[in-house]
Amino acid sequence: MRFKRFCAALLLLLLIGWGRAEARISVAPAIIEAVSVQAGRSFSVSCRNQGQEEVEIELSLALFARNSPGGVLLLEDELSKARAEAFLDLEPRRFSLRPGEVQTIQVQVAAAGFHQLQAALLVRAIEPGVSARLAVLLLLSTEEDGTCLGREALVPRSEFRPEPPGEAS
């Protein structure tokens, strides 16, 4: 009898939590690669709510390193986050998205005191019990020769193409 009550309670908790895990967020592009980058240059990233409920979004920056072929290791220690923040600015940092809504995020190079910068824009839906994040990889170089960036070793670009305003389904 106790086992049945336990199973029923567990099932109820799973069903209650099911609706909360429905946040469906997409970002595009998945990779931004640029050479000859200077301070003041700006990049746009689209974030879209493909779910049925409004969702709160929080953005942050980190660095990344490549490990195995195609693998990415996020560097989120305080020093790595501070380095990413020193070179890049974000606008906005936090926002809400209604179902079907698209928000454009501006990533601006604040200082170009680097030869190469491998940073990640982290996009997180703020929901209880959901810890998934999306990442937009930024491969930036102040040099003219971009062959050192090596995007071909990373994951393929996203297939998401944001719809123009007023055409969202």
Side-chain angles (χ1 to χ4, degrees):
M1 187 66 161
R2 281 186 179 174
F3 181 71
K4 286 184 180 180
R5 282 187 185 163
F6 173 76
C7 288
L10 183 60
L11 180 61
L12 182 61
L13 286 174
L14 289 173
L15 290 175
I16 288 170
W18 183 264
R20 284 300 200 190
E22 278 298 308
R24 293 184 52 207
I25 304 301
S26 60
V27 293
I31 299 173
I32 295 173
E33 183 179 24
V35 296
S36 301
V37 173
Q38 297 178 355
R41 181 150 179 203
S42 186
F43 304 96
S44 296
V45 175
S46 295
C47 181
R48 181 177 183 172
N49 180 355
Q50 296 177 317
Q52 300 299 314
E53 295 182 20
E54 186 170 342
V55 64
E56 186 82 11
I57 304 293
E58 182 177 69
L59 306 176
S60 60
L61 292 167
L63 296 179
F64 75 89
R66 298 174 218 183
N67 49 20
S68 60
V72 171
L73 175 66
L74 287 176
L75 306 173
E76 297 183 86
D77 58 278
E78 293 304 316
L79 184 60
S80 296
K81 290 191 292 188
R83 181 173 163 87
E85 296 280 345
F87 293 122
L88 300 171
D89 287 328
L90 289 176
E91 187 64 35
R93 289 275 182 163
R94 190 174 181 142
F95 53 91
S96 292
L97 283 176
R98 294 185 306 272
E101 186 176 16
V102 177
Q103 170 74 45
T104 301
I105 302 159
Q106 294 298 319
V107 181
Q108 185 174 28
V109 178
F114 57 88
H115 293 290
Q116 293 181 23
L117 180 64
Q118 295 180 337
L121 165 63
L122 304 175
V123 180
R124 181 175 72 92
I126 303 170
E127 292 196 24
V130 178
S131 61
R133 297 179 296 178
L134 299 174
V136 175
L137 303 181
L138 295 113
L139 296 108
L140 307 177
S141 174
T142 55
E143 308 294 319
E144 288 184 32
D145 179 15
T147 58
C148 57
L149 293 176
R151 178 174 56 87
E152 62 280 353
L154 297 172
V155 294
R157 290 181 185 254
S158 168
E159 293 295 321
F160 168 69
R161 298 286 183 260
E163 297 173 4
E167 294 183 24
S169 52

